[in-house]
Structure formats: C-alpha cells, structure tokens
Amino acid sequence: MKKNLTLIIILIVLVIGAYLYTGSYQNWQAKKQTADSANWLVAVDMSLVDRIETQDKDGKTYVIKKENNLWLTEPDNWPTEKIIMDALEEKLAELTKANLEVVSFNKDNKSNFEIGDNGLRVKLFQNDAEAGSFIMGKIASDYSSTYIGREGDDRTYRAPITFVRAFDTESWRDRTIFNLSSSGIDVITWRYQGQTIVINNLPDKRGEIYWHASSTLLRLNKEKVDGFLNSVTKLEASDVPEQTTAGTGLDKPALQLRLQGQAPQDMPTGQGIDETLIIGNKNQTTSEYWLQKKSSGQIFLITEMDEKILAKNIKDFY
C-alpha cells in the first residue's frame, strides 16, 4: 500500500513537472517567435525615402530617385508611371508598419519562397544612406500576403501585403507620349519624304471655321478628324527602347507629324500647342516603329496599328 502511494505521488510530480515544462516552453517559443518576427523596417520613413534600388534574380538593377517630389528612373531621368509609383510608396509604407510572421527557420527553404538567389532584392535610401533593405519573394497561397526575407537571416517571413504591379520594374517608365486636349489643336501637318499635307480648323476667307485642306479649302469630315485627334493626343508607347537613334531611321524619317494650336485668350502668348512626332523605321523583329517626340527628344516604340493611325492622307478625312 505504501509503495503504491509512493508511485502515485511520483506520477503526480512527473505530470505537474511536464505541464510546467510544456507551458514554460510554449511561452518561450511564443516570445521567441515574437522577437524573431520583429519588423526590421519599422524605422524606415517612406516620406523621406528618395531612392530605391532593386536587383532581380538575373542581376539586373533598376533604380529610381525622387526629385522635386517626382520619381525618375536612372540613369536617364525618365519620368515614371505615377499610378505605379503611388502604389509602390503606399505598399512600402504598409510594409514598414506590418506585423511579420515567421513561416520558416530553415535557410534551405528560402528558394522555395523565392527569397534566395531567385528573389528580388530591394534597398531603400534616404539622402544617399541606406535606410533599409529586404528580399521580396512570391505571393503566399492566401493571395493576400507576400514572403520576404533579408540578407544574413535564415528565416522566411510573411508580410500581410501584396505588391501586385508595384515592383513590375519594366513598367516603371512612363509610356505616355501625349496627354493633350484635342480641342486645342487647329493645324495638323503630315510631312512625308515626298509630300506635305496640311489641314486646319482656322477661319476661311469668309470667317467660317471648319476642318479643311489648307491649300484647297476642301471641307473635311469633322468626325474623322476628331477621331484622329482623340487617338493622337492620348498616344502611348508600346515600349521604351534604348535612347539612341542608331538603326532607328529617325535621322531620315518616313513621316513627321506636327500638331499646332493657338493659345486660348486667357493664356499668355507662346502657351499654345506645337508638337512634332518623328516616325522612323519598322523594327522587323517586333513589328513596332521607332518614334521620337521632338520637344523632349524622347524615343519610344509604337505598335504597327498606332503607326497606321498616325500616317494619314487627305482622302482619309473625306
């Protein structure tokens, strides 16, 4: 009887010890998990970040810098797509305040989460000093969070954020060629290598205003001219190529398209529209055309369909 009582007491002590050990271990694990998941980007103030560098899995680097509250790509100071930049700043600001969850302690798993050599490396700068960095991986299976990591850290974290197109670096450059008001244009000139065509919406000798061929006063179809202007004044490039004219045909263009408009009465003289597009050769590989905006010198690529929209003859407006 005494032996049984002793065994019961020992058993009770073991159970209590195991319970206390398990509880303490779980508390330790919880504290460790909280410490491990501390957001190392919390000190980054996105309102002060003025430079962002990224490097993809192939080692290609993309850099944007902020000047006068505008993001520009380096090294050519090309304007960026505002919608994408706004999203980028918003998502990064969310990341700096996010509660991160550790999903793996195993460094061998990093490639599976795409935060190893196959991840996108991101560095944030303030006044040329690095303020923070992270490695962006793939979207998690819940489609509402993203795996991230950092150099020298075996752990993989989950951030409750998706970046969608914010880090689509190929789309950072603004592809807008024109964003004009079609109502402000009253003279259009097509200068081909062997022919020049001019139409205008200026008063004729009788004071009547209508779209007509400048040389003959031949009345043109207003809806067709308006349709053309609606397309050209909101023209966007299909891509932004290297900013060199070599091999583009822009030095001997097939077409120069000029848009002109007088300044409204409430605007100072010289504030009217005067823009020229220079259209060069066709890229035989992609079927795109090289195009240069004369006022800025920027070189774009446009689709074959857009080239057909720009290259008009007088008969297209009858």
Side-chain angles (χ1 to χ4, degrees), residues 4-20:
N4 290 340
L5 182 60
T6 301
L7 290 173
I8 291 172
I9 292 172
I10 292 172
L11 182 61
I12 291 172
V13 170
L14 289 174
V15 170
I16 293 173
Y19 174 78
L20 292 175

Side-chain angles (χ1 to χ4, degrees), residues 24-125:
S24 299
Y25 178 76
Q26 289 176 339
N27 289 336
W28 174 81
Q29 279 287 74
K31 290 179 180 178
K32 183 176 185 298
Q33 183 83 350
T34 301
D36 286 337
S37 61
N39 191 337
W40 65 91
L41 296 170
V42 69
V44 178
D45 185 347
M46 276 308 299
S47 67
L48 300 178
V49 170
D50 53 14
R51 180 183 175 90
I52 300 174
E53 293 183 5
T54 69
Q55 185 181 71
D56 63 21
K57 62 182 180 181
D58 298 319
K60 190 172 183 179
T61 300
Y62 296 85
V63 181
I64 52 175
K65 62 180 179 181
K66 203 173 197 179
E67 292 186 357
N68 299 320
N69 212 35
L70 294 175
W71 287 102
L72 304 172
T73 64
E74 289 192 343
D76 52 11
N77 291 332
W78 193 278
T80 54
E81 182 65 54
K82 187 177 185 304
I83 293 176
I84 296 179
M85 290 300 104
D86 288 347
L88 179 63
E89 288 187 305
E90 178 184 345
K91 295 297 184 180
L92 287 173
E94 290 178 14
L95 179 60
T96 62
K97 298 177 178 64
N99 292 320
L100 305 182
E101 174 192 358
V102 177
V103 296
S104 173
F105 291 91
N106 188 347
K107 66 179 180 180
D108 294 332
N109 288 334
K110 295 180 74 171
S111 292
N112 295 332
F113 295 108
E114 296 184 10
I115 63 165
D117 294 337
N118 53 351
L120 181 73
R121 280 155 172 75
V122 181
K123 292 182 179 181
L124 310 175
F125 293 84

Side-chain angles (χ1 to χ4, degrees), residues 165-274:
R165 290 187 61 214
F167 278 103
D168 182 4
T169 50
E170 294 285 354
S171 299
W172 278 356
R173 285 183 166 191
D174 187 4
R175 299 185 182 190
T176 302
I177 299 174
F178 281 150
N179 186 19
L180 305 172
S181 170
S182 60
S183 62
I185 296 171
D186 44 39
V187 179
I188 308 171
T189 304
W190 291 265
R191 189 180 301 280
Y192 295 96
Q193 290 184 354
Q195 181 186 24
T196 298
I197 301 169
V198 184
I199 66 174
N200 70 70
N201 194 37
L202 301 174
D204 64 9
K205 295 178 180 179
R206 298 165 297 174
E208 185 179 359
I209 299 176
Y210 60 96
W211 279 105
H212 58 273
S214 298
S215 56
T216 65
L217 299 183
L218 177 66
R219 187 180 296 269
L220 303 175
N221 186 309
K222 183 179 184 301
E223 291 183 359
K224 291 184 178 180
V225 176
D226 287 345
F228 168 81
L229 286 175
N230 289 337
S231 295
V232 71
T233 54
K234 303 301 178 185
L235 187 63
E236 290 202 0
S238 55
D239 201 358
V240 178
E242 291 186 17
Q243 299 299 292
T244 175
T245 58
T248 64
L250 292 169
D251 55 337
K252 296 180 180 179
L255 168 64
Q256 295 184 63
L257 173 63
R258 186 178 184 184
L259 308 176
Q260 295 171 273
Q262 297 179 345
Q265 293 182 354
D266 59 348
M267 290 181 64
T269 302
Q271 295 297 308
I273 295 172
D274 192 351

